Structure formats: C-alpha cells, structure tokens
C-alpha cells in the first residue's frame, strides 16, 4: 500500500538494532485518516469472507482494528496482556514473547466474546517473528473460531514470522512488507 | 446519552465493591457502532471548539478516541503507561493511581506529539476519582496545550472526581453519569 510505504519512508525513524520507530503515525500519535485507508484496503482484500469479528491485541492494535471494523460492520475484541496467570477459567490464554519489550506476556480473551461460530480477522500493527500472531491464532483455535486471515500494517518479512504462518496455510495481508533495513535503508518487498 | 445508558442497564454487570463490568461493549469487546454514536455526540457537544487533537490513555481509551477523531478530523495521541521512570527527557510524564488495578502508573506522552498550539479534547472510558484525567491534564499543562474539555463515556459521579475537576473550571461531558450503584441498582444523574 503506497500510502503506508510513503509514510514509513518519510516519517519512520530507523533506530538501529532492527528497530523501526513509527510512533508518529501508528503507535503513539495515531493518524486516523491513514487508518481509514488501511481499513478500506483490508475490506477490499477480505471482502466476501464474511468476517464477523476482528481480534487484536492491546494497545497499538486497538485503533487500527476499530477503524477497520467500521468497514466490516463488526465488533472488535482485544486480547488483554497480563503477567498474572491466576485469573480463573473464563479466559482463553496464550503466551507471547515480546522482542520489543524483552518479556513474555500472557494474553487473554474472555470466553464470552469469541465462539465457534466466529469468522475472525486478526489485525495488528507489526509482524516480525510472529509471536503475538501465533498467540492470537492459538486463542481462536481454543475457541473453535475460524481465522479468515490476518491484516497487518507493517511486516518485517526478513524476520520470517509471516512466511512461517503462510506455510501453515494462514492468509496474511500486510500493507507494507519490509524486505530489508540494512544500514537503515528501508526496502520493500514487491 | 440514552443509548449508552440502556447498554449499561442491559449489558453491564455489577460485581460488587463498586465495580461495574462493561467489558461486553466498552473495554474488551468493543461495540464500534456504539462508539460511532458516542463520537457524534462529543462532536455535537464540542463543536466550534476547534479541537485539533484528541488525547487518551492506553488501552481502553484508544478505540473510542479513534472513532471520535473521525468526527473532529484530527489525530489521536495516547499516553503510554510505564512503571519505569528512566525513559529520558523526551516525554511529558505524570503519575496516576489505578483503583481498578491497585497500582500507580507513570503515564507519558512524547514531547513531539503535544505542543503549545494544540487544542486538546481528552477522551476516556471511565471517570471515577479522576486520577487518570488529572494526569492527562497535567501532561497538557506541561506541553502548554489548551484543554478544551474531557469527553467521558461513563462517569461514576458519586465518586467525586468529575465534580472536583468541574470546580476547577474543566469542562467534562460524560455520556452516562451514574449517581448510585447501591445494592447493584444503577441510577443515573439527570
């Protein structure tokens, strides 16, 4: 998606150590007009898939998920992060290691809000190693919900998480796919 | 706002100890259609105030803030929570005690994304003692930004945080104002 790629080139900041800072439009200041264009594009890509629920994870996924949900006419559920494992049996749970924060979060979704009849589009801001996405997919499986696919804003393709999921048959639609950030020069996959 | 009050009556669950669970539509599953009506109402209330930025706090504020921002034609900035105080000088910071979680969070907003020319509408899901709102207002003051007012989904009016802020001249527009939850019976202020 050219609009997002241009944003990354013009406003993204490469911090070294493989970290791309996009907090000017994606995960601190939120460019809602950009989110709207992203939502339309995911709707175009997943049209006809009868998505009835968007699943995301706090915090940075929530904004893009809510805006996208308007185009699908569905609700959003966001997985909560908690370091406590003692929260009872009313939640589906899975573990996700965060490379950004260097810790493992247990993520949880109430059993009330994800069911075996749901056709779920998972939305998140970043896909790198695929830890968060794997945890969200695990939660859908526990609920018996169908994962229609995943809508990602920025995929770091060279980290392999996306392709590992694709090889398992999961449909991933990333709006910007970075193939390299060597020496801070951002290149996109075609 | 009748739509939100009806949601609270029909779908809210009183858990005792002054805790109202509204995770079926406001802070776990997100009813985006309801958020849209809330956004329109805040736009009606703050029309003509030239709001150019919406400030909220992760995580539950982000969804309502992003949907509301579409009606104001502006961006959103969300304050991040961190238990670390050692994050450098590039952030405005304030402390907020969470009665729900029983801990104190330092919240932070990058100095890049809030400035002295901003006219800020603060949006959040709940207002009880006013801890989070006070912290967000403090951050706006540090930036020299003008707080036009606060748009709140649910105010527990009897806890006094909203009225304390009103007495300081802060405009608070809460879409549902609960005057009492005694014995689990929810009553709204007129």
């Amino acid at each position: 998606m050219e609009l997002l790629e241009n944003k990354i080139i013009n406003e993204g900041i490469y911090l070294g150590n493989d970290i791309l800072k996009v907090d000017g439009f994606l995960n601190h200041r939120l460019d809602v007009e950009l989110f709207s264009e992203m939502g339309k594009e995911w709707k175009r890509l997943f049209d006809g898939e009868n998505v009835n629920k968007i699943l995301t994870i706090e915090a940075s996924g929530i904004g893009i998920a809510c805006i996208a949900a308007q185009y699908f006419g569905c609700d959003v559920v966001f997985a909560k992060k908690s370091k406590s494992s003692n929260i009872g049996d009313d939640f589906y749970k899975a573990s996700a290691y965060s490379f950004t924060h260097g810790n493992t979060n247990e993520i949880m979704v109430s059993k009330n809000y994800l069911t075996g009849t749901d056709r779920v589009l998972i939305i998140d801001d970043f896909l790198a190693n695929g830890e968060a996405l794997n945890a969200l997919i695990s939660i859908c499986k526990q609920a018996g919900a169908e994962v229609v696919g995943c809508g990602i804003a920025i995929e770091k393709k060279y980290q392999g998480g996306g392709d590992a999921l694709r090889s398992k048959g999961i449909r991933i639609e990333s709006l910007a796919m970075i193939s390299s950030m060597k020496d801070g020069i951002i290149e996109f996959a075609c």
Side-chain angles (χ1 to χ4, degrees), chain A:
Chain A
M1 188 187 180
E2 201 179 338
L3 182 66
L4 181 58
E5 290 181 356
N6 286 342
K7 273 273 183 188
I8 293 166
I9 294 292
N10 294 328
E11 299 179 34
I13 298 164
Y14 180 70
L15 296 180
N17 281 332
D18 215 38
I19 297 170
L20 176 66
K21 193 175 175 184
V22 287
D23 69 357
F25 56 94
L26 193 62
N27 47 30
H28 186 20
R29 180 166 68 180
L30 310 178
D31 182 338
V32 174
E33 209 171 313
L34 170 68
F35 289 9
S36 187
E37 295 305 317
M38 289 162 58
K40 281 181 206 165
E41 181 62 5
W42 283 318
K43 173 63 181 171
R44 188 185 70 78
L45 291 163
F46 289 102
D47 204 23
E49 289 284 1
N50 299 316
V51 169
N52 76 320
K53 194 162 285 176
I54 289 179
L55 178 65
T56 188
I57 183 167
E58 64 171 312
S60 306
I62 296 173
I64 49 177
C66 282
I67 300 291
Q70 295 181 310
Y71 297 99
F72 289 90
C74 70
D75 287 345
V76 170
V77 173
F78 71 87
K80 301 195 174 204
K81 292 174 185 171
S82 168
K83 290 192 179 62
S84 158
S85 58
N86 183 24
I87 52 152
D89 297 326
D90 294 337
F91 292 84
Y92 301 113
K93 298 174 217 167
S95 291
Y97 180 77
S98 166
F99 287 86
T100 315
H101 297 102
N103 61 5
T104 297
N105 286 300
E106 187 159 59
I107 70 167
M108 341 178 266
V109 171
S110 166
K111 290 184 179 176
N112 291 328
Y113 306 133
L114 198 60
T115 72
T117 59
D118 283 329
R119 292 182 60 77
V120 178
L121 173 62
I122 296 173
I123 281 190
D124 206 3
D125 58 340
F126 263 99
L127 167 56
N129 299 78
E131 284 277 323
L133 223 47
N134 272 307
L136 291 168
I137 291 166
S138 162
I139 277 174
C140 288
K141 278 186 186 158
Q142 291 170 48
E146 177 83 16
V147 177
V148 165
C150 305
I152 302 296
I154 302 174
E155 177 179 345
K156 291 175 177 171
K157 195 167 160 56
Y158 57 95
Q159 287 191 245
D163 286 339
L165 283 163
R166 288 183 185 97
S167 72
K168 290 181 193 166
I170 304 283
R171 182 176 172 193
I172 315 269
E173 297 287 357
S174 301
L175 302 185
M177 276 207 284
I178 296 174
S179 57
S180 167
M181 294 203 295
K182 202 165 175 301
D183 301 324
I185 298 162
I186 296 167
E187 290 178 2
F188 295 103
C190 297

